[in-house]
Amino acid sequence: MSTEVISPAATSVRRARPQWPVPAGLILLSLIPVIFGALRLAELTSGSAVTPQNARFFASPVPVVTHIVSVTVYSLLGAFQFMPALRDRRGWHRIAGRILIPAGLLAALSGLWMSVFYPLPDGYTDVPLRLFFGSAMLVSIVLGLDAIRRRDFVGHGAWMTRAYAIAVGAGTQALVGIPWLLLIGPTDAPARAVLLGAGWVINVVVAEYVIHRRATRRRVAGVPRR
């Protein structure tokens, strides 16, 4: 009877999982708000008719244009930071980070500005949610920067994961809202606020699960925190 010898390298290859599904899924999730953002930019640049729904954007286009561009860059490029093969390349990670951090800060700050200063035609029911999660995204990026300054790479990854989860909340909100629209019908202001909050909460819960899972893997492997 012959005995088959399996090398550690072969075992690692056998157990290796494809790395593309996570970034691909995040890009698909981001495409929903990215497409709507592109349509908004086309509306602003093509001289479309001003309506009560878009009047605030025509009156002050800089914040919304800044938000759309920065969120697009942040969500699409940030998806690749969840691919270990790229993230482990120090050159890629640093270059991408130097683009992502300013884009994330601009996205959070412009979103907060619009929440405070844009007059909303449908009421202000969801403004507290926008302020809370926009501030949480901003604080997460700042804490992520502080962690990397202290060379706390684990803390840096955790805070940046939280910031990204909040940034792509619009995609999850669309996925939550579509079944509501099909099964129940158009939303009023309170229902819309609930759906917006649900999208953000789902993303934050998933982010915390990912962070916890990373920590568990490090403990099992005996990897130091820094």
Side-chain angles (χ1 to χ4, degrees):
M1 180 177 65
S2 61
T3 302
E4 181 182 2
V5 178
I6 301 176
S7 65
T11 303
S12 62
V13 170
R14 179 180 297 177
R15 294 179 179 177
R17 297 178 179 179
Q19 299 183 5
W20 58 265
V22 172
L26 292 173
I27 289 173
L28 289 175
L29 183 66
S30 302
L31 283 180
I32 300 173
V34 166
I35 291 172
F36 279 101
L39 293 175
R40 180 70 69 189
L41 290 179
E43 180 184 57
L44 291 172
T45 57
S46 62
S48 299
V50 178
T51 67
Q53 299 296 326
N54 64 18
R56 61 192 186 279
F57 303 128
F58 281 96
S60 181
V62 173
V64 68
V65 171
T66 300
H67 188 72
I68 292 171
V69 173
S70 57
V71 166
T72 299
V73 173
Y74 190 76
S75 57
L76 295 181
L77 181 60
F80 293 98
Q81 296 290 66
F82 292 88
M83 181 177 287
L86 289 176
R87 188 176 63 247
D88 293 340
R89 295 181 182 179
R90 186 170 299 179
W92 157 265
H93 191 73
R94 286 181 176 177
I95 294 172
R98 289 170 182 170
I99 299 172
L100 287 169
I101 288 174
L105 291 173
L106 283 173
L109 289 171
S110 59
L112 289 170
W113 193 99
M114 291 189 295
S115 298
V116 173
F117 295 107
Y118 270 171
L120 302 180
D122 299 327
Y124 294 85
T125 308
D126 58 359
V127 168
L129 286 171
R130 296 180 185 275
L131 293 176
F132 175 80
F133 284 102
S135 300
M137 177 181 171
L138 182 63
V139 170
S140 296
I141 295 175
V142 172
L143 291 176
L145 281 171
D146 179 67
I148 200 65
R149 180 186 61 82
R150 294 183 285 104
R151 301 188 67 78
D152 179 5
F153 302 113
V154 174
H156 171 74
W159 286 114
M160 297 308 290
T161 298
R162 294 182 180 109
Y164 184 83
I166 296 172
V168 297
T172 308
Q173 289 159 0
L175 294 180
V176 172
I178 290 173
W180 179 288
L181 184 63
L182 294 176
L183 297 175
I184 300 177
T187 59
D188 54 13
R192 186 161 50 253
V194 170
L195 294 175
L196 289 176
W200 275 313
V201 169
I202 290 171
N203 280 18
V204 170
V205 169
V206 172
E208 293 302 326
Y209 169 77
V210 170
I211 293 168
H212 175 74
R213 189 176 180 183
R214 289 177 187 166
T216 302
R217 287 179 176 176
R218 282 191 297 272
R219 285 195 298 269
V220 172
V223 179
R225 176 176 174 80
R226 294 179 183 270

